[in-house]
Amino acid sequence: MSYLRKVVAILWKDLVAELRTKEMFSAMFVFAVLVVVTFTFAFDLRVTGERVRQVAPGALWVAFAFAGVLGLNRAFILERDRGCLEGLLLAPVDHTAIFFGKMASTLVLMFVVEALVLPVFTAFLGIDLFNGWLLLVVALGTVGFAGVGTILSAMTAQTRAREVLLPILLLPVAAPVLIAAVKATAGILDGLAVAEIGRWLRLLIAYDLIFPVVAVMTFDYIVRE
Amino acid sequence: MRRDKNRWLIIWTGLSAAMMIVALYLALAGAPEANLQSQTGRYAQRIIYFHIPTAWVGFLAFLVTFVAGVAYLRNPRPEWDRIALSSAEIGTLFMLGVLVSGSIWARPAWGVWWVWDERLTISLIQFLVYAGYLMLRASVEDPARRARFAAVYGIVAFISVPINFVAIRLWRTQHPLMFGSSQGGLGPNMRFAFFFCLIAFTVWYATLMAHRLRLERLRDEVERLRQSILS
């Protein structure tokens, strides 16, 4: 079985489990919508008309990031139940395949949630978000978030604090993703030329590549018993 | 042997205390007045002799944590983990010192306690990252696993430093600078005081590390003795 097939097998296992329960998907989606709604309530007191456009990128990425934390938390805590992680580790696969499988299943889940949140967001805030470049920014930002998030989630799932610890570790480390994604989204909404947001896209691409490499080098130490 | 080690620790501690007293004198009185308009500004400027060395020690400490983490993963000796932990604790404390002393300076110099300036932001994020490091350690009981997790997180955190720096620099330079560069040029006498403080703080860091490591070693030894009596 090739390496890619192993990754896909883990991804498939996670997706089948998710399709049977729809537990994570509904939680993430409802939570993301709630973040958007809460943001609108919180800012509606002060922000009206044209200024909505200024807070929109921030609200969007906070919703994605928080929903992502929910999804990432479950990725490995699910495996703690009845020793599934041990079973997975006993399988004759390279441990990095488990990392990429888990990252892929988190990504699929986040992409589906984002695809549904974007129209809701467009409707609530009256800003059209369906733009090719914007979708690219969403994809790059999500990959960066899921990459580093999967490393940290594998660790926090094995700690005493579990769910509580992941956002505390993840949000400061993922700060560049959030900054770059919000700036790029804002640039696109403001109708800037692609050249002007190019540096943010490059930063996102660099981030997306660096942490999977770090994961390949360190993941074995996280899951080893 | 042990007695001999302690003697060195005492000498080193005395040296670092003496250097810190000289540094304090230089910072408060020895260094010449800065070429600034207001009296308050001239007083406030003297904080750089402590503020910048504090930041330097903070980043140095995190570099040590990173290196010790890599070393631990390559060769899992408990000593590497003790070094990583000690350095991270000291670094977090110094980073807090940077934030507090920076705020104290910003108030008279800029008129506000805090601005989202690039250096302030990066210091704050570093502080939060390493507060997370200590919380992660507190949440894992098994010592070997704790050491491995801490090492991996130390590596992830340290790699995030330059990326954060780039992101924040790009972010802030999109706006015109709200305030002119604060450092200006340092005169020759000021430079002496500044570099003396930098060395004094580095020696102080080494002293704190030595004490913290000794404490951690003793703790491990007590644990080992307790186990041997119980078994």
Side-chain angles (χ1 to χ4, degrees), chain B residues 219-231:
Chain B
R219 183 181 291 170
D220 285 358
E221 201 175 317
V222 167
E223 185 59 28
R224 197 177 50 79
L225 289 174
R226 207 172 58 131
Q227 295 291 340
S228 71
I229 290 166
L230 287 178
S231 61

Side-chain angles (χ1 to χ4, degrees), chain A residues 176-196:
Chain A
V177 178
L178 222 54
I179 295 172
V182 168
K183 292 305 281 187
T185 308
I188 290 164
L189 289 183
D190 291 345
L192 294 183
V194 173
E196 290 194 59

Side-chain angles (χ1 to χ4, degrees), chain A residues 160-161 183 199 221 225, chain B residues 138-139 141 145 148 164 174:
Chain A
R160 212 163 354 107
K183 292 305 281 187
R199 51 184 169 174
Y221 297 106
E225 273 308 310
Chain B
S139 188
E141 260 142 51
R145 173 178 285 174
R148 271 185 284 123
N164 256 316
Q174 285 210 317

Side-chain angles (χ1 to χ4, degrees), chain B residues 32-173:
Chain B
E33 291 266 278
N35 187 18
L36 285 169
Q37 297 291 318
S38 71
Q39 183 66 39
T40 326
R42 286 199 292 274
Y43 281 140
Q45 184 272 339
R46 292 183 178 276
I47 213 165
I48 69 151
Y49 299 111
F50 271 52
H51 179 66
I52 296 173
T54 310
W56 150 250
V57 169
F59 281 100
L60 176 70
F62 295 148
L63 173 67
V64 170
T65 299
F66 167 72
V67 173
V70 173
Y72 182 85
L73 292 185
R74 292 181 68 93
N75 177 14
R77 283 170 44 209
E79 184 68 8
W80 288 122
D81 187 49
R82 286 186 209 123
I83 293 174
L85 165 66
S86 309
S87 200
E89 272 184 6
I90 296 168
T92 310
L93 200 63
F94 272 73
M95 233 46 214
L96 185 63
V98 172
L99 295 173
V100 171
S101 65
S103 283
I104 292 172
W105 176 78
R107 181 69 188 158
W110 293 341
V112 284
W113 294 108
W114 184 267
V115 287
W116 291 97
D117 163 80
E118 104 193 17
R119 266 165 276 183
L120 272 73
T121 312
I122 190 89
S123 306
L124 178 63
I125 292 183
Q126 283 325 295
F127 172 71
L128 292 172
V129 163
Y130 284 93
Y133 177 93
L134 297 178
M135 289 174 78
L136 172 66
R137 294 195 67 109
S139 188
V140 187
E141 260 142 51
D142 175 45
R145 173 178 285 174
R146 179 170 59 219
R148 271 185 284 123
F149 281 16
V152 171
Y153 185 66
I155 292 167
V156 169
F158 194 75
I159 289 171
S160 81
V161 175
I163 308 176
N164 256 316
F165 193 79
V166 171
I168 291 163
R169 172 148 269 192
L170 285 176
W171 173 28
R172 296 324 299 188
T173 48

